[in-house]
């Protein structure tokens, strides 16, 4: 038997279905049961084997509960796409493990939904849906809501829950739900807390499973899948993926069948833009108007003029925001007056949706021009507004970082990939993978709206154009490789294996990791030595101990695992508490958390900053828990330490209410980087607070607790009571305080109209605040203030 590889043909697309590869190693290929060619744009034809091929499978024909089929049909879903048919034939609805590898918008999500509901409605089971990003988890949670009206056999309605944050919780309340949507990291955290309801899970859906290849997120997904299969050997695994080079190998690891397809509901045309001409893969070409010196801007503008939308991928958050501003300068001129009036109203919604910042103000100005940017630094409320406006076709061009390609349902007629290289400190620029490019390209073409979708790479010269065509457009996606066998990544998972009682000996730990994708690809012997080294470190640092012959976690080890921090971070914080500096200040604690590996990349100092930071370091030397290294002995380590000092000073400026503009000017920190630093700071301060309590550091606890609250909101101490009010953050809290409202009691006594008149407030928020503090709002007073056509939120610049 020989492996049937599927290659994209000129007018047709190939589907490969292998029903079970559990006994097949990655180097032993078997004949597929069926390989068929499909032209998605012509009527389907039956093949010689009617058992393997049928014309347009109807939803009504599926072995599903009648109420579910009725709901789907009412929603406009009456037939299955070819990949969905193949998944059903492969046993997806019969509790068989399956890897479904197909392009974006080919219907993978519906297969997952049907499997989840099959388990809940007919098998009294529970399903967990794993998403790589919080935003994607929220989107999937919203998608599942339409099934909430269905009734289970016991008469109760199908319930859907979502949990993506707070890693230091087992979330027992999730046990009430039938379908739980979560991120890979949150699922790992739930397993570490040994959430009891996990034992009831009968189906796991792993979305974007090709991210096993991703250095940061891949190992967590790999461990979660291995752990769930360990906890419940009979669990069904449904893995959804883009097309990749070794689907068969991943399927063999999961003891699953697999379906590979290149089928798309919209034809994809891939090409390279050089100056003013696009050369497509199929030999076609097209000229575009070259109005500016930026080809990505020209391509986006050309798309808008032709009545389409463009999604532009940039390598960084900063580049995405910069490019959006350049595009907005051009798109504004081509918008109609009614469209501009509508977008001005939407811009006001952006301004009022969340705390006013430079980022939100910049976003609002872009929205007025029919453009926007999208990245992880956006507040949730802003991100939802932008996504909705883009789906509605009101925002014409959206620039984004590549994370948007990880499953978010935001298709556009044209996808523009501005940067095909990424920068990584210590490595410089390197090309992205073919798989990553294909993920971005897959966003091109809106089903039901576009006949064709276009994916365009930008070239600067003819040689680069040839390179892009050959190495991205005509290339096949790479093989997926496990990224687990890195000591820094493995440490926390080894500790969790013992701390959560999954194993109590070195042999037991090795036995678990023998079930991972890494062991399937290489052999567990390849990481056995690394596991032994990590166990010795954990034992030496008193995170593990031996109870007779059993390996057990100490209180510190168990808490470290539950807090979801690197054991090295825990040891660093614990040891620092034992050797306090002469003077402990907020900066002391801020520098301590920046010194841990969990802070992520610190803000490296620029050349001209080094001397200034060195002076700051000397000024605060007596406050630091960790002494600076000798500059002359290790210059690289010294600069890293200065980067930690710089990051701590950024956090210190944040809690002193320094404006984003001032911080950008002083530290050259971009809003996206500030967001990451603050989020990591909150997480690590919470961990430090918990460890201080565990280590009985009573003197430090009040300062850490207070600092954690201040970093969470970015405020001075005096605003702490006010920012507890919903809708009040650092900016509005300062406005209230400066207006004389220093306490909750002051706000309770305030007149509604006085709060309404404050900048960035308005009648709705004022009423909401008064209701929180127990204030009384007269009906006629609210009716007068609530006339939205007579009121517009005042900006700070109006005062």
């Amino acid at each position: 038997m020989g492996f049937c590889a599927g290659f994209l043909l000129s007018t047709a697309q190939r589907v490969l279905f292998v029903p079970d590869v559990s006994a097949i190693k990655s180097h032993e290929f078997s004949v597929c049961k069926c390989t068929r060619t499909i032209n998605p744009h012509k009527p389907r034809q039956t093949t010689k084997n009617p058992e393997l091929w049928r014309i347009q499978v109807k939803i009504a024909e599926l072995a599903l509960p009648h109420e579910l089929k009725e709901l789907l049909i009412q929603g406009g879903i009456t037939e299955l796409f070819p990949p969905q048919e193949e998944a059903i034939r492969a046993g997806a609805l019969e509790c068989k493990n399956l890897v479904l590898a197909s392009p974006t918008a080919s219907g993978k999500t519906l297969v997952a939904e049907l499997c989840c509901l099959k388990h809940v409605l007919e098998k009294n089971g529970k399903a967990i849906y794993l998403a790589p990003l919080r935003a994607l988890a929220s989107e999937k949670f919203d998608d599942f809501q339409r099934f909430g009206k269905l009734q289970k056999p016991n008469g109760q309605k199908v319930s859907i829950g979502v949990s993506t944050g707070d890693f230091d919780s087992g979330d027992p309340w999730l046990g009430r739900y039938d379908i739980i949507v979560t991120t890979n990291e949150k699922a790992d955290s739930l397993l570490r807390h040994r959430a009891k309801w996990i034992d009831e899970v009968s189906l796991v859906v792993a979305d974007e499973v090709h991210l096993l290849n991703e250095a940061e997120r891949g190992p967590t997904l790999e461990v979660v899948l291995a752990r769930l299969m360990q906890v419940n050997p009979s669990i069904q695994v449904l893995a959804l993926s883009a097309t990749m080079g070794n689907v068969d190998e991943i399927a063999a690891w999961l003891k699953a069948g697999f379906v590979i397809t290149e089928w798309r509901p919209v034809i994809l045309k891939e090409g390279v833009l050089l100056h003013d001409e696009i050369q497509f893969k199929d030999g076609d070409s097209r000229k575009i108007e070259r109005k500016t010196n930026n080809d990505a801007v020209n391509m986006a503008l050309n798309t808008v003029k032709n009545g389409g939308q463009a999604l532009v991928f940039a390598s960084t958050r900063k580049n995405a925001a910069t490019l959006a501003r350049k595009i907005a300068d051009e798109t504004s001129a081509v918008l109609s007056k009614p469209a501009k009036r509508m977008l001005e109203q939407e811009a006001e919604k952006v301004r009022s949706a969340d705390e006013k910042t430079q980022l939100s103000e910049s976003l609002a100005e872009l929205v007025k021009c029919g453009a926007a940017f999208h990245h992880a630094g956006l507040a949730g409320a802003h991100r939802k507004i932008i996504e909705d406006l883009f789906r509605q076709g009101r925002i014409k061009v959206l620039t984004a970082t590549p994370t948007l390609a990880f499953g978010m349902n935001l298709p556009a007629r044209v996808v523009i990939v501005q940067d095909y290289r990424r920068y990584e400190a210590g490595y410089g620029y390197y090309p992205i993978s073919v798989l990553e490019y294909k993920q971005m390209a897959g966003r091109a073409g809106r089903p039901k709206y576009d006949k064709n979708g276009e994916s365009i790479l930008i070239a600067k010269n003819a040689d680069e154009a040839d390179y892009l065509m050959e190495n991205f457009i005509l290339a096949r996606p790479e093989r997926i490789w496990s990224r687990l066998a890195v000591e820094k990544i493995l440490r926390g998972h080894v500790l969790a294996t013992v701390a959560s009682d999954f194993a109590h000996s070195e042999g037991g730990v090795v036995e678990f990791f023998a079930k991972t994708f890494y062991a399937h690809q290489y052999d567990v012997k390849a990481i056995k030595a690394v596991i032994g080294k990590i166990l010795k470190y954990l034992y030496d640092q008193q995170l593990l101990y031996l109870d007779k012959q059993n390996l057990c976690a100490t209180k510190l080890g168990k808490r470290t695992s539950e807090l979801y921090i690197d054991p090295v971070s825990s040891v660093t914080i614990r040891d620092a508490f034992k050797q306090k500096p002469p003077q402990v200040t907020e900066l002391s604690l801020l520098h301590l958390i920046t010194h841990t590996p969990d802070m992520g990349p610190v803000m490296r100092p620029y050349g001209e900053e080094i001397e200034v930071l060195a002076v700051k370091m000397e000024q605060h030397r007596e406050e630091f828990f960790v002494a600076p290294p000798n500059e002359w002995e290790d210059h690289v380590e010294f600069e890293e330490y200065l980067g930690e000092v710089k990051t701590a000073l950024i956090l210190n400026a944040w809690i002193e209410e320094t404006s984003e503009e001032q911080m950008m000017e002083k530290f050259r920190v971009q809003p996206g980087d500030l967001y990451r630093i603050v989020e990591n700071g909150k997480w690590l301060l919470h961990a430090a607070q918990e460890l201080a309590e565990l280590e009985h550091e009573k003197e430090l606890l009040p300062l850490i607790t207070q600092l954690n609250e201040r970093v969470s909101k970015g405020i001075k101490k005096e605003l702490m009571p006010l920012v507890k009010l919903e809708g009040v953050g650092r900016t509005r809290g300062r406005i209230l305080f400066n207006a004389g409202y220093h306490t909750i009691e002051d706000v309770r006594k305030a007149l509604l109209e006085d709060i309404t008149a404050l900048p960035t407030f308005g009648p709705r928020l004022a009423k909401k605040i008064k209701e929180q503090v127990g204030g009384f709002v007269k009906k006629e007073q609210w009716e007068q203030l609530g006339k939205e056509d007579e009121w517009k939120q005042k900006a700070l610049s109006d005062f």
Side-chain angles (χ1 to χ4, degrees):
M1 294 190 6
F3 178 72
C4 301
F7 292 97
L8 182 63
L9 304 179
S10 58
T11 60
Q13 298 172 336
R14 186 178 298 273
V15 174
L16 169 63
F17 158 49
V18 176
D20 188 1
V21 292
S22 58
I24 305 170
K25 285 291 184 181
S26 60
H27 59 282
E28 298 169 347
F29 299 119
S30 67
V31 172
C32 53
K33 275 197 173 179
C34 63
T35 303
R36 60 183 63 87
T37 300
I38 301 171
N39 187 332
H41 311 293
K42 293 182 180 179
R44 304 245 335 254
Q45 304 294 321
T46 57
T47 63
K48 294 180 180 179
N49 188 342
E51 291 181 1
L52 295 177
W53 193 267
R54 295 184 316 196
I55 297 175
Q56 295 176 321
V57 175
K58 307 286 188 183
I59 289 292
E61 299 171 359
L62 297 177
L64 293 169
H66 176 73
E67 294 79 6
L68 172 56
K69 290 190 284 190
E70 284 294 311
L71 182 64
L72 293 171
I73 292 168
Q74 289 171 10
I77 302 174
T78 59
E79 300 169 351
L80 293 180
F81 285 160
Q84 296 166 342
E85 289 184 41
E86 298 310 315
I88 301 302
R89 290 202 186 93
L93 296 182
E94 299 165 21
C95 295
K96 293 182 180 178
N97 293 355
L98 181 70
V99 179
L100 175 55
S102 64
T104 301
S106 60
K108 295 190 290 288
T109 297
L110 179 63
V111 175
E113 291 170 341
L114 295 182
C115 287
C116 289
L117 292 162
K118 184 86 171 177
H119 276 260
V120 172
L121 295 173
E122 294 187 352
K123 304 179 185 301
N124 195 31
K126 190 184 292 287
I128 186 167
Y129 192 110
L130 303 177
L133 303 172
R134 291 185 181 186
L136 181 56
S138 297
E139 181 181 284
K140 296 303 179 185
F141 172 71
D142 291 340
D143 290 344
F144 270 109
Q145 292 306 305
R146 71 186 192 277
F147 301 114
K149 60 183 73 173
L150 296 174
Q151 282 194 339
K152 298 184 292 183
N154 62 9
Q156 295 180 345
K157 291 185 176 180
V158 172
S159 56
I160 301 98
V162 63
S163 180
T164 59
D166 189 10
F167 295 151
D168 187 22
S169 172
D171 288 357
W173 55 271
L174 283 174
R176 303 196 300 265
Y177 296 98
D178 303 306
I179 300 170
I180 296 104
V181 184
T182 184
T183 59
N184 302 329
E185 289 75 19
K186 179 60 182 180
D188 188 21
S189 170
L190 291 167
L191 285 161
R192 294 185 184 200
H193 282 83
R194 292 307 296 260
K196 293 181 179 179
W197 58 265
I198 290 282
D199 295 338
E200 303 169 23
V201 174
S202 56
L203 166 70
V204 56
V205 178
D207 204 352
E208 309 288 328
V209 79
H210 52 271
L211 291 178
L212 285 167
N213 197 62
E214 214 266 336
E216 292 294 324
R217 295 184 175 93
T220 300
L221 173 58
E222 181 176 342
V223 168
V224 166
L225 288 174
R227 191 78 76 197
L228 286 170
M229 290 189 289
Q230 177 192 26
V231 170
N232 185 356
S234 63
I235 195 171
Q236 180 187 2
V237 180
L238 175 62
L240 309 179
S241 166
T243 305
M244 46 193 170
N246 54 335
V247 175
D248 61 304
E249 192 173 21
I250 292 172
W253 169 52
L254 297 173
K255 297 180 175 59
F258 62 87
V259 173
I260 303 174
T261 173
E262 299 284 358
W263 186 91
R264 286 173 47 92
V266 178
I267 296 172
L268 175 62
K269 290 177 63 102
E270 298 175 80
V272 178
L273 173 63
L274 177 59
H275 306 315
D276 64 344
E277 184 174 12
I278 308 169
Q279 188 67 48
F280 289 101
K281 171 185 177 180
D282 60 5
D284 193 11
S285 64
R286 187 174 85 242
K287 292 271 190 178
I288 68 166
E289 181 185 1
R290 200 174 189 207
K291 189 177 178 183
T292 74
N293 291 326
N294 188 306
D295 290 336
V297 174
N298 295 331
M299 189 67 226
L301 187 59
N302 180 268
T303 303
V304 175
K305 285 182 176 180
N306 288 318
Q309 289 175 284
L311 180 58
V312 189
F313 285 104
S315 58
T316 65
R317 297 175 185 179
K318 181 181 178 181
N319 289 351
T322 301
L323 187 58
R325 284 192 288 271
K326 292 178 180 178
I327 291 170
D329 291 340
E330 302 300 328
T331 56
S332 178
V334 301
L335 294 174
S336 66
K337 289 183 178 179
K340 286 182 178 180
R341 285 196 295 270
M342 179 275 297
L343 287 170
E344 284 181 3
Q345 294 173 4
E346 299 298 341
E348 286 302 320
K349 290 181 183 177
V350 171
R351 289 191 174 95
S352 60
D354 202 82
E355 192 69 17
K356 185 173 180 177
T357 62
Q358 184 193 18
L359 191 69
S360 66
E361 187 61 28
S362 173
L363 193 61
E365 288 300 311
L366 292 172
V367 167
K368 286 165 62 175
C369 301
F373 55 82
H374 185 293
H375 56 61
L378 289 182
H382 290 146
R383 189 163 52 237
K384 187 175 189 313
I385 291 173
I386 297 305
E387 290 170 2
D388 289 345
L389 289 176
F390 191 70
R391 289 191 186 102
Q392 294 162 10
R394 297 182 178 184
I395 287 178
K396 303 301 180 184
V397 183
L398 183 64
T399 64
T401 51
T403 52
L404 185 65
F406 295 162
M408 292 295 291
N409 184 24
L410 287 174
R413 181 183 298 176
V414 176
V415 164
I416 304 164
V417 183
Q418 184 198 35
D419 305 315
Y420 70 92
R421 298 187 302 164
R422 298 282 178 271
Y423 178 80
E424 188 172 330
Y427 295 93
Y429 286 95
Y430 61 95
I432 61 173
S433 66
V434 176
L435 180 61
E436 184 176 343
Y437 160 71
K438 295 293 184 183
Q439 277 290 95
M440 292 187 280
R443 301 288 141 197
R446 300 169 303 163
K448 300 180 183 178
Y449 296 100
D450 299 324
K451 291 182 179 179
N452 300 320
E454 293 182 353
S455 172
I456 309 298
L457 284 156
I458 307 294
K460 298 179 181 64
N461 53 58
D463 284 345
E464 189 173 58
D466 291 341
Y467 170 83
L468 294 175
M469 181 65 73
E470 181 179 350
N471 291 278
F472 289 97
I473 293 176
L474 298 176
R476 301 293 298 173
E478 302 86 353
R479 295 174 65 85
I480 300 298
W481 296 97
S482 170
R483 306 293 182 179
L484 184 62
V486 177
E487 185 176 341
K488 178 178 181 288
I489 290 169
L490 208 53
R491 276 194 301 256
H493 295 304
V494 169
L495 175 60
T497 302
V498 178
S500 299
D501 298 318
F502 290 112
H504 287 290
S505 66
E506 182 173 355
V509 174
V510 172
E511 184 181 351
F512 166 71
F513 284 97
K515 297 180 173 70
T516 62
F517 185 47
Y518 180 89
H520 179 82
Q521 283 193 307
Y522 302 97
D523 192 303
V524 72
K525 294 176 183 176
I527 56 171
K528 194 172 181 180
V530 181
I531 291 171
K533 181 181 177 183
I534 291 170
L535 286 172
K536 183 178 185 306
Y537 171 82
L538 297 173
Y539 179 82
D540 291 345
Q541 295 299 329
Q542 300 175 355
L543 279 77
L544 296 179
Y545 71 98
L546 276 173
D547 180 13
K548 297 179 181 178
Q549 298 301 313
N550 291 327
L551 200 57
C552 304
T554 62
K555 288 182 179 179
L556 177 63
K558 186 169 181 62
R559 200 71 191 96
T560 298
S561 179
E562 291 173 341
L563 287 166
Y564 211 73
I565 59 174
D566 189 321
V568 172
S569 294
S570 179
V571 170
T572 299
I573 293 170
R574 178 202 64 189
D575 291 351
F577 287 166
K578 292 177 180 178
Q579 298 178 333
K580 300 181 187 67
Q583 184 182 1
V584 178
T585 63
E586 286 91 349
L587 187 61
S588 308
L589 292 165
L590 294 176
H591 178 259
L592 174 59
I593 62 172
T594 66
H595 190 68
T596 66
D598 283 309
M599 176 51 77
V602 294
M603 295 298 296
R604 290 189 174 275
Y606 293 96
E608 63 270 25
E609 291 180 309
I610 290 177
E611 188 174 339
V612 175
L613 287 169
V615 171
K616 283 281 185 184
M617 181 192 74
E618 289 300 328
Q619 290 174 345
H620 296 280
R621 180 185 283 266
E622 296 297 308
E623 300 173 46
F624 293 151
F625 282 96
V626 182
N630 190 311
E631 179 181 5
W632 309 112
E633 291 179 2
D634 193 330
H635 186 69
V636 174
E637 187 180 347
F638 181 74
E639 283 201 8
E640 179 74 16
Y641 188 90
L642 290 182
E644 295 167 5
V645 172
K646 178 179 177 178
T647 307
L649 290 171
I650 290 170
L651 283 169
N652 197 63
W654 170 249
I655 63 173
E656 289 299 316
E657 300 181 36
T658 305
S659 70
E660 286 186 18
E661 291 88 345
Q662 291 171 318
M663 292 176 75
M664 285 180 66
E665 183 178 347
K666 184 174 182 180
F667 299 109
R668 298 192 196 180
V669 59
Q670 297 299 315
D673 290 323
L674 177 60
Y675 172 84
R676 175 185 60 80
I677 290 168
V678 169
E679 286 299 303
N680 288 347
K682 286 156 55 177
W683 171 37
L684 286 165
L685 283 169
H686 170 72
Q689 182 179 332
E690 292 296 310
L691 294 177
E693 191 168 335
L694 187 68
E695 297 293 313
H696 306 292
E697 293 289 345
K698 295 181 180 179
E699 293 180 9
L700 288 176
L701 258 176
L703 180 59
I704 299 174
T705 304
Q706 183 186 89
L707 185 58
N708 191 11
E709 289 186 44
R710 291 180 62 194
V711 169
S712 296
K713 296 289 187 177
I715 54 167
K716 295 180 179 179
K717 297 176 190 176
E718 60 202 33
L719 296 190
M720 287 176 66
L722 296 176
V723 297
K724 294 185 187 301
L725 296 170
E726 187 179 347
V728 177
R730 70 193 312 241
T731 302
R732 289 182 181 132
R734 177 53 56 192
I735 291 168
L736 279 171
F737 191 90
N738 290 347
Y741 307 112
H742 296 175
T743 65
I744 296 296
E745 182 62 19
D746 292 339
V747 177
R748 191 185 70 80
K749 291 178 180 178
L751 297 175
L752 180 65
E753 54 265 35
D754 289 344
I755 296 179
T756 301
L758 294 173
T760 79
F761 287 72
R764 290 184 181 279
L765 181 58
K767 180 174 181 285
K768 187 177 181 180
I769 289 171
K770 291 292 286 181
E771 288 170 346
Q772 290 178 71
V773 298
F776 180 71
V777 179
K778 293 180 180 179
K779 182 180 178 182
E780 58 273 17
Q781 187 183 27
W782 166 244
E783 288 176 347
Q784 178 61 33
L785 283 171
K787 294 178 181 178
E788 293 190 23
D789 57 331
E790 295 180 5
W791 177 87
K792 183 179 178 182
Q793 178 174 297
K794 296 181 176 65
L796 284 171
S797 57
D798 296 334
F799 285 74

